[in-house]
């Protein structure tokens, strides 16, 4: 592999061209293992950013892709439909909260979020009451495109870089009560206050249910979400739930909103939708929102990407939905959660550790100083695992098929990194 070319010419996520970090060449992947060009096998702790829930190179997903590619890889969705899209949307509606009836397929998580925001804006426009603000939470993350970024934490996504261009929305304090802690009703005060003050200009509330992912791996109390749903109902504001990271079993329920027994008006899914095979997302909504949107001036929903409903992606996603419908994920995720709950508390005593937390197949170790990316990544590879931390967060979200020995390998590797001074920046550097 021409790694010098890669280093010189190819941008990787959030990396500098001046000081690019090492990239590890992967040759293949199977089950929970990533195989490096050198032949080393790494136990995957990331599911390729929440996506590869069934593991890599899965025979059922492979078969779906092969069969589809020999029939129809892609065709435009305007004026045309096909079985892979119909089968997938049927499966999605069967699995998703039962108030949702209409599916919009798009390319990526960020685009699903853009679509959800546009739906909310068109909804109010059609009602003859145009609104232009969104209420969201601090420490949230919704994607890297502009509208998605505008509702992402302003400090984490550096809104200051885009001042004057990026729309400005309303941010409420993020939930402070952890999932396993005793609920503190005052947690909702700021959110309630913001909604009370601004509800007439707010088209929708958008947030990540239960787990705030890339904005800090914060796992919060279901009562917060319940309160949000109630307040949205009280003020007649739409609720968009971004389940792009949490959807399809990751938190122990099929959708994280089930922990709070609430249903959104608009739901965004992506990532694990195709079992991590290719990019595809969906935005689901109610009959009422969909029909209101289309009753407005435009007469339709104003969006239609080139690769909308890509048959290849839909076929693989349908196969992934079939795997989920077997229900095995429930035992697998519950087993991973049990293991995190028995292994992680021990790490909390470590001087480098500020907090540990877990839910479903998510395990998080928050450290007191930021990691040294280059060194900690090399250390993990030496330990035979693939974990990619950021800042003060070392987190694991392994494929659901991980066996107890794999989870143990991951947690042991984290523990060994905690004991390596070179894996962390000094207090002043971080
Ligand atoms: N929303 C959430 C909650 C996410 O975690 C992500 C991806 N990290 C996105 C949106 C954006 O998805 P994508 O990277 O596919 O555009």
């Amino acid at each position: 592999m021409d790694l010098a070319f890669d280093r010189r010419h190819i941008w990787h996520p959030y990396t500098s061209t001046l000081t690019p970090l090492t990239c590890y060449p992967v040759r293949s992947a199977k089950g929970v293992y990533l195989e490096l060009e050198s032949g080393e096998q790494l136990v995957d702790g990331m599911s390729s950013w929440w996506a590869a829930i069934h593991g890599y190179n899965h025979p059922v997903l492979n078969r779906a892709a092969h069969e589809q590619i020999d029939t129809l890889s892609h065709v435009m969705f305007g004026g045309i439909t096909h079985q892979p899209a119909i089968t997938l949307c049927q499966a999605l509606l069967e699995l998703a909260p039962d108030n949702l009836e209409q599916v919009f397929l798009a390319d990526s998580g960020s685009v699903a979020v853009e679509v959800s925001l546009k739906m909310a804006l068109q909804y109010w426009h059609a009602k003859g009451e145009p609104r232009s603000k969104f209420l969201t939470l601090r420490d949230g993350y919704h994607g890297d495109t502009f509208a998605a970024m505008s509702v992402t934490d302003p400090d984490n996504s550096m809104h200051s870089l885009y001042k004057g261009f990026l729309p400005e929305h309303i941010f409420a304090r993020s939930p402070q009560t952890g999932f396993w802690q005793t609920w503190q009703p005052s947690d909702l005060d700021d959110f309630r206050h913001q909604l009370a003050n601004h509800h007439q200009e707010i088209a929708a509330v958008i947030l990540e249910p239960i787990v705030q992912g890339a904005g800090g791996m914060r796992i919060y109390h279901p009562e917060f979400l319940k309160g949000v749903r109630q307040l949205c109902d009280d003020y007649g504001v739409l609720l968009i739930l971004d389940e792009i990271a949490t959807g399809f079993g990751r938190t122990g329920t099929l959708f994280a909103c089930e922990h709070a027994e609430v249903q959104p008006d608009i739901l965004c899914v992506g990532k694990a939708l195709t079992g991590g095979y290719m990019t595809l997302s969906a935005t689901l909504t109610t009959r009422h929102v969909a029909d209101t949107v289309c009753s407005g001036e435009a007469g339709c929903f104003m969006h239609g990407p080139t690769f909308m409903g890509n048959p290849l992606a839909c076929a693989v996603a349908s196969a992934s939905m079939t795997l989920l419908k077997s229900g095995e994920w429930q035992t697998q995720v519950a087993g991973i959660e049990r293991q995190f709950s028995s292994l992680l508390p021990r790490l909390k005593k470590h001087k480098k550790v500020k907090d540990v937390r877990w839910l479903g197949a998510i395990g998080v170790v928050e450290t007191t100083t930021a990691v040294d990316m280059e060194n900690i990544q090399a250390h993990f590879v030496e330990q035979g695992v693939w974990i990619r931390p950021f800042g003060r967060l070392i987190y694991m979200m392994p494929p659901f098929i991980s066996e107890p020995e794999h989870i143990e390998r991951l947690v042991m590797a984290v523990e060994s990194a905690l004991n390596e001074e070179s894996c962390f920046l000094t207090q002043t550097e971080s």
Side-chain angles (χ1 to χ4, degrees):
M1 238 185 256
D2 191 345
L3 293 181
F5 178 89
D6 185 287
R7 196 176 171 84
R8 181 78 190 112
H9 296 287
I10 308 181
W11 239 316
H12 286 264
Y14 289 96
T15 50
S16 163
T17 54
L18 303 172
T19 52
L21 294 169
T22 301
C23 275
Y24 293 85
V26 168
R27 176 162 65 191
S28 65
K30 185 151 184 57
V32 300
Y33 289 99
L34 304 182
E35 185 178 295
L36 296 186
E37 202 50 35
S38 59
E40 280 166 274
Q41 301 270 341
L42 307 182
V43 174
D44 177 38
M46 301 303 289
S47 300
S48 286
W49 282 333
W50 315 84
I53 53 175
H54 311 294
Y56 299 87
N57 217 333
H58 194 288
V60 173
L61 303 186
N62 284 7
R63 197 177 328 118
H66 282 293
E67 281 173 9
Q68 190 56 45
I69 208 166
D70 287 337
T71 320
L72 174 69
S73 294
H74 184 65
V75 63
M76 63 188 283
F77 213 44
I80 288 174
T81 195
H82 46 74
Q83 196 58 49
I86 295 173
T87 309
L88 172 62
C89 293
Q90 283 171 334
L92 270 176
L93 291 182
E94 206 179 303
L95 296 175
D98 58 18
N99 64 325
L100 304 174
E101 291 187 47
Q102 190 77 27
V103 187
F104 191 97
L105 297 166
D107 321 48
S108 69
S110 300
V111 176
V113 169
E114 301 278 329
V115 163
S116 73
L117 302 176
K118 281 175 75 171
M119 269 181 198
L121 294 172
Q122 267 194 252
Y123 172 85
W124 288 104
H125 194 274
K127 279 167 73 82
E129 254 184 85
R131 298 182 175 195
S132 60
K133 292 284 177 205
F134 291 93
L135 171 60
T136 185
L137 301 177
R138 284 255 162 197
D139 302 308
Y141 179 85
H142 296 286
D144 287 348
T145 52
F146 276 106
M149 198 168 54
S150 73
V151 288
T152 288
D153 186 274
D155 298 330
N156 288 343
S157 66
M158 300 191 76
H159 284 192
S160 54
L161 300 178
Y162 317 101
K163 203 163 169 50
F165 181 76
L166 198 66
E168 292 180 9
H169 296 297
I170 305 160
F171 288 83
R173 196 175 79 127
S174 54
Q176 305 297 310
T177 319
F179 187 90
W180 305 103
Q181 293 174 338
T182 310
W183 168 238
Q184 304 294 329
S186 60
D187 226 7
L188 266 169
D189 287 354
D190 190 50
F191 182 87
R192 185 183 297 107
H193 175 75
Q194 300 291 351
L195 198 55
N197 280 354
H198 301 285
H199 65 95
Q200 277 150 337
E201 44 175 348
I202 293 174
V205 166
I206 177 166
L207 49 80
E208 297 154 280
I210 307 298
V211 181
Q212 292 189 292
M217 298 303 294
R218 307 174 78 260
I219 305 174
Y220 64 85
H221 203 285
E223 283 297 327
F224 187 92
L225 188 56
K226 246 186 211 164
V228 164
R229 176 70 272 184
Q230 187 58 52
L231 287 163
C232 287
D233 289 344
D234 293 348
Y235 285 102
V237 163
L238 297 174
L239 176 60
I240 303 171
L241 292 184
D242 176 350
E243 293 248 14
I244 289 160
T246 50
F248 307 114
R250 178 59 63 183
T251 68
T253 51
L254 199 52
F255 294 97
C257 60
E258 293 168 32
H259 289 288
E261 296 167 333
V262 303
Q263 298 189 329
D265 300 296
I266 303 177
L267 174 74
C268 303
V269 293
K271 290 188 184 278
L273 177 58
T274 61
Y277 267 46
M278 62 269 276
T279 182
L280 181 72
S281 66
T283 307
L284 285 69
T285 192
T286 61
R287 171 66 43 223
H288 167 68
V289 170
D291 289 352
T292 307
V293 162
C294 298
S295 70
E297 183 187 335
C300 65
F301 179 53
M302 292 292 287
H303 207 93
T306 306
F307 285 96
M308 185 169 183
N310 174 254
L312 198 48
C314 287
V316 176
S318 292
S320 179
M321 297 300 111
T322 306
L323 289 177
L324 284 173
K325 276 194 231 166
S326 82
E328 218 182 328
W329 64 271
Q330 275 171 304
T331 338
Q332 294 167 332
V333 173
I336 295 172
E337 179 178 281
R338 257 196 314 280
Q339 242 187 315
F340 279 143
S341 72
S342 80
L343 296 174
L344 290 180
R346 195 160 48 94
L347 300 189
K348 194 161 180 182
K349 300 188 188 90
H350 199 285
K351 64 176 190 319
K352 274 261 170 274
V353 175
K354 186 167 171 223
D355 187 29
V356 295
R357 40 192 187 261
W358 60 86
L359 180 68
I362 307 169
V364 185
V365 176
E366 185 177 340
T367 54
T368 51
T369 48
V371 300
D372 179 309
M373 269 305 263
E374 186 71 35
N375 290 349
I376 200 168
Q377 198 76 91
H379 185 80
F380 282 138
V381 170
E382 254 168 52
Q383 300 290 310
V385 301
W386 182 250
I387 300 174
R388 188 163 174 83
F390 64 84
R392 291 160 206 256
L393 294 164
I394 306 176
Y395 61 103
M396 294 159 278
M397 42 221 196
F400 299 169
I401 56 160
S402 304
E403 296 288 340
E405 79 223 43
H406 302 128
I407 306 298
E408 217 169 290
R409 278 277 293 280
L410 293 171
V411 177
M412 275 169 55
V414 172
E415 185 166 19
S416 111
L418 291 171
N419 291 326
E420 272 305 318
E421 280 302 330
S422 65
C423 289
F424 295 88
L425 301 177
T426 61
Q427 198 78 45
T428 41
E429 283 172 314
S430 66

